Amino acid sequence: MNLRPLDHRRSPRTGWTRAHWEAVADHLLASVAPYATRDFAQYRLPGRPSWAGEVSDGLEGFARTFLLAAFRIAGAGGDVPPALLERYAHGLVAGTDPAHPYAWPALADMSQQLVEAASVALALHETRPWLFDRLAPAEQDRVVAWLAGFVGRRTPDNNWVLFRVVVEQFLAQVGGPHEPDEITGGLERIEDWYVGDGWYSDGKGKNFDYYCGWAMHLYPSLWARMAGDAARRELYAARLGRFLEQYQHFFAADGGPVHQGRSLTYRFAAVAPLWLGALTGASPLPPGRTRRIASGVLRHFVDRGVPDERGLLTLGWYEPFLPTVQDYSGPASPYWASKAFLGLLLPPDHPVWVEPEEAAPVDLADQVVPIRPPGWLLHVTRSDGVVRLVNHGSDRDRVQPADGAPDPHYLKFAYTSHTGPEFGGAAAGADNQLAVIAPDGTASARRRIEPLAVDGRFAASAYRDGAVEVLTASVVHGAAEIRVHRVTAPAGHRVRDGGHALAAPVPPHRYQRDGLALARRPDGLTSAVRALRGYTRAGVLAAEGANAFGAHSATPYVVSAEHRGGTAVYVSLVQLGVTEGEPPTPGVRVQDDLVVLELPGGVMATIRLGDAPTCEWAVQGRRHHP
C-alpha cells in the first residue's frame, strides 16, 4: 500500500490526513479487482462461504465494494481513474441482466440480497451524475427493475427494515416503483426500538452493539439527506449528537475499538457514525477530534496487517478468526467496513480535514462514562489508553434460540479495546463470567440480564438460572473493577469469577498465588483477578487458537470452596492495564446486604444490595458523588 508520509504538523496524534484515507480506499478497491467475474458483475473473494451461497456472496462483493467506490468517486467529484467508473458501470449492467451468466439473484423475502440492495442504492445515489445518469435508458430500467424487487418483500424485524427505506427512496427519486407507506413504515418501526439518550436496540430485546451506529443511526440520517425531510433530519441529528457524546469514548488511545457485539469483522466501520455526525452537522465533537479518533481506528488496523498481504479484508479481527464470525458472513462480508470512508463525502476543505487534530478524551484524562440505556459503564485510563466496558444490560438473548449456546459477544461482564472473549475449551466459560458450578460440573449461565442500576462509577444487574440466582454490583476505580456478587444456590456448588482473557502471539506469562492470578504480555499489559471475599483459590486457564487477539491466550480466575447453600456474598477485583506490580487489595466489610469497599486514595464505596442496588461514595470520610 502506497501511504503518504505522516503529517505530524496537521495530525499530531495519528499523522494521517485525507490522502491516507484515499490511499487505503484505492488499495482496497484495486485489490478486489482480480476476483471479479466476467463484466465485473460479482466479486468472488477467497474464504469461507456464507449460508447464502456463492452467487449471493459474489453480489455482496460487488455491492459492498461499490459503496466504497461511491464514497471515493463522489468525494473526488468524479475525478478518479476512468477504469474505476467503468468497472462498476459494467457490473451494474451485467448484474441486472437476467440473461448474463453472473446475473444477480432476484430480491426475495428475507434474503441476503435485500442487505446488498441497500448498499447498491446508496452508492447509486452518491454517484448518480457519473454512473446511473450515464447508463443507457434500457440499462437504467434494468437496474430499477432489480431494485424494485424490494417492494413488498418481508425482512427480519431489525435493522433490515431500514434497507427498504433507502432502496425505495432511491427508486422514488428516479421514478421507479415504490410504496411511500413502506418507507414511512420502516422509519416508524425503529421508533419502537429507540430507548433514549441516543441509543437504539437492533430490534426487540436488549441488542446493543455497533449496529446502533453503523445501521440504526446511519440509514435514517442518510435517508433524510436523500429525501430532504427537514423534520426527521433534525430528529435524527439530535439523537446522533447525544449518541456521539458517549460513543467517542469507545476507542482506545491506539485506535482499538471496544471488542463487543456481532459482525466485528466489519472492523473500522465502527467510525461511520463519527463521520456521519460531521456530514450532517450533528456532531458535538470538534472537527479535529473526529479526525483524530477516526484516523486512529483506521491506522490501528492498517498497522496490524489489515488489509492482508493481498490487500483483502479477511473474516476475523487482525488475522482470520472464524469463531468470531457469524454464519451469514461470506468472504466479502468484511467490506461493510466501507462505511468507514463516509468521511470522504466531506469536501477536502471541510474543517474535519483541514483543522489540526484535537485530543480525544482518552488522551486527556481518565474517564468514567455511565451509559444507561444499554446498561453499560465505561472506564478508561489515560496512562495505558485502555477502554473497558462493564456490561450490566445488553444480552441479545431474547432473539436467540432458547436452547442455543450463549453468545460470548454479549453476555460477558466486561469487554475491552485490548481483549476479546474466548471460544472453545475450558477458558470459554471462564473469562469475564461468574459461573456457579454444580457438583456434576454444570455451570450456571448468565443469559437474560436484568439491569438494575447504572450511576456514576457503579452498575448492577441480576440473572437467574434454575435454582441459581446472582445479583452483581460493579464499582470501577482506575483500571480496576470490583465485583460484588450475591449468590443464592444449593449447597455443594462452587463460585468462579473470571477476568479478561489476555491474548498474544506468544504465551502470556502466568502467575498465581494466595488468591491472586494474573497473565502478562511482553508489552506489560496485564490481566489480573484478586480474591477479596469468599474465594479460596486462584488459577490461570491457558488456550491456543481461541481468541481473536492472538494465537495464545490466558484467563485468570478465582474460585470458592463449596457453597453452604442459601445466600452468600463474594467479592473480587478484576483489572486490565499496563502495570508492573500486583493489583491493589481493597478493604472489604460485609454485613447482610451492606458491602463497604475501602479503595486506594482514601475512597470508600458503600453498596446496598437488594431489589434496587445503590452505591454511596466518600473520600477521606466526606460524602462524594463521582
Side-chain angles (χ1 to χ4, degrees):
M1 191 177 344
N2 242 339
L3 292 178
R4 298 283 185 89
L6 300 181
D7 183 349
H8 288 295
R9 179 185 57 83
R10 183 180 297 179
S11 301
R13 297 285 176 176
T14 70
W16 278 39
T17 64
R18 182 186 178 99
H20 292 85
W21 282 82
E22 291 174 341
V24 175
D26 291 344
H27 181 60
L28 289 170
L29 290 167
S31 298
V32 298
Y35 300 94
T37 61
R38 201 181 90 196
D39 297 324
F40 301 98
Q42 299 177 29
Y43 288 79
R44 295 189 173 181
L45 303 180
R48 187 208 70 180
S50 76
W51 59 18
E54 182 181 47
V55 175
S56 177
D57 289 350
L59 164 62
E60 186 173 64
F62 176 91
R64 299 191 179 196
T65 61
F66 183 29
L67 188 62
L68 174 59
F71 294 150
R72 183 71 176 96
I73 293 164
D79 186 16
V80 296
L84 182 62
L85 289 163
E86 291 167 4
R87 270 170 49 197
Y88 284 94
H90 286 314
L92 285 164
V93 171
T96 56
D97 179 1
H100 195 279
Y102 294 104
W104 301 341
L107 302 181
D109 289 343
M110 311 294 279
S111 67
Q112 182 66 30
Q113 298 91 272
L114 302 176
V115 183
E116 310 319 319
S119 291
V120 171
L122 285 174
L124 286 169
H125 170 76
E126 295 299 341
T127 61
R128 186 171 173 182
W130 307 285
L131 280 174
F132 184 82
D133 288 352
R134 295 187 181 183
L135 298 179
E139 294 168 341
Q140 290 181 344
D141 289 346
R142 286 211 304 271
V143 173
V144 167
W146 186 80
L147 289 171
F150 212 131
V151 179
R153 294 299 178 195
R154 291 185 301 110
T155 71
D157 197 27
N158 58 14
N159 69 89
W160 283 42
V161 304
L162 295 171
F163 303 150
R164 178 195 311 282
V165 168
V166 294
V167 169
E168 296 200 33
Q169 184 59 44
F170 176 76
L171 289 168
Q173 290 178 316
V174 297
H178 67 285
E179 290 291 339
D181 288 347
E182 291 192 356
I183 296 175
T184 56
L187 296 171
E188 290 169 1
R189 185 70 185 105
I190 68 170
E191 294 302 309
D192 294 333
W193 305 327
Y194 183 69
V195 293
D197 237 7
W199 284 87
Y200 294 88
S201 171
D202 182 15
K204 68 178 182 179
K206 302 179 185 299
N207 310 318
F208 299 105
D209 50 31
Y210 285 109
Y211 276 85
C212 183
W214 65 37
M216 308 306 292
H217 278 291
L218 186 74
Y219 291 105
S221 293
L222 291 183
W223 169 83
R225 187 169 174 267
M226 294 169 70
D229 187 317
R232 288 191 187 270
R233 182 171 62 239
E234 291 179 8
L235 172 67
Y236 299 144
R239 291 176 179 177
L240 177 59
R242 181 68 190 103
F243 174 74
L244 291 176
E245 288 176 0
Q246 302 164 75
Y247 191 65
Q248 64 179 315
H249 297 279
F250 275 70
F251 305 96
D254 68 2
V258 170
H259 193 83
Q260 181 272 340
R262 65 193 174 95
S263 299
L264 290 170
T265 194
Y266 302 159
R267 298 177 176 98
F268 35 85
V271 307
L274 295 166
W275 293 122
L276 181 68
L279 184 68
T280 61
S283 181
L285 310 186
R289 180 179 294 176
T290 293
R291 189 171 84 254
R292 180 267 179 271
I293 298 174
S295 291
V297 174
L298 183 57
R299 184 178 174 183
H300 175 88
F301 284 101
V302 169
D303 286 350
R304 288 159 178 79
V306 180
D308 70 7
E309 67 280 357
R310 302 165 297 176
L312 300 181
L313 300 177
T314 57
L315 290 166
W317 188 240
Y318 301 132
E319 298 179 349
F321 187 72
L322 291 179
T324 196
V325 177
Q326 285 70 37
D327 290 342
Y328 56 71
S329 291
S333 183
Y335 286 83
W336 243 32
S338 298
K339 296 178 179 184
F341 294 83
L342 186 69
L344 293 180
L345 294 180
L346 295 160
D349 61 354
H350 189 280
V352 82
W353 289 119
V354 298
E355 289 191 7
E357 281 184 347
E358 291 193 31
V362 66
D363 301 321
L364 299 172
D366 290 2
Q367 309 284 334
V368 177
V369 185
I371 308 178
R372 292 178 179 83
W376 288 345
L377 185 63
L378 294 180
H379 59 122
V380 185
T381 42
R382 178 179 179 273
S383 62
D384 51 23
V386 177
V387 183
R388 307 157 193 84
L389 184 157
V390 179
N391 175 32
H392 283 279
S394 179
D395 59 25
R396 200 170 178 262
D397 218 45
R398 288 154 179 81
V399 296
Q400 299 288 86
D403 58 351
D407 191 329
H409 288 111
Y410 292 90
L411 294 165
K412 305 285 189 178
F413 273 115
Y415 299 90
T416 85
S417 55
H418 285 61
T419 63
E422 293 281 276
F423 290 83
D431 69 287
N432 279 311
Q433 288 185 245
L434 183 86
V436 183
I437 305 168
D440 66 359
T442 59
S444 66
R446 186 186 190 222
R447 298 295 293 255
R448 295 199 172 192
I449 301 170
E450 179 188 354
L452 298 175
V454 178
D455 183 35
R457 297 173 176 271
F458 172 75
S461 64
Y463 78 90
R464 181 171 185 168
D465 184 7
V468 173
E469 296 181 34
V470 178
L471 184 154
T472 300
S474 293
V475 166
V476 298
H477 188 74
E481 174 199 356
I482 296 88
R483 296 176 185 165
V484 178
H485 304 287
R486 189 184 69 185
V487 177
T488 302
H493 286 52
R494 294 179 184 271
V495 178
R496 184 185 64 200
D497 198 5
H500 304 278
L502 190 67
V506 298
H509 170 71
R510 291 179 284 160
Y511 174 78
Q512 60 197 61
R513 70 160 179 83
D514 300 334
L516 171 66
L518 63 81
R520 180 172 284 130
R521 293 194 325 203
D523 63 0
L525 185 65
T526 303
S527 172
V529 180
R530 185 184 288 281
L532 298 179
R533 186 179 195 272
Y535 301 101
T536 58
R537 186 169 55 86
V540 183
L541 293 169
E544 291 187 36
N547 198 290
F549 279 73
H552 301 273
S553 51
T555 302
Y557 68 91
V558 290
V559 64
S560 74
E562 290 186 358
H563 188 73
R564 294 183 178 180
T567 300
V569 173
Y570 299 83
V571 185
S572 59
L573 180 143
V574 175
Q575 181 169 293
L576 179 76
V578 177
T579 59
E580 293 183 359
E582 297 182 355
T585 308
V588 177
R589 289 183 281 122
V590 177
Q591 183 177 355
D592 299 326
D593 273 356
L594 184 70
V595 180
V596 179
L597 304 176
E598 297 173 353
L599 304 170
V603 177
M604 182 175 293
T606 301
I607 301 166
R608 288 177 171 82
L609 305 173
D611 294 339
T614 62
C615 184
E616 294 181 0
W617 295 81
V619 179
Q620 303 295 344
R622 301 181 63 180
R623 291 187 65 182
H624 171 70
H625 185 75

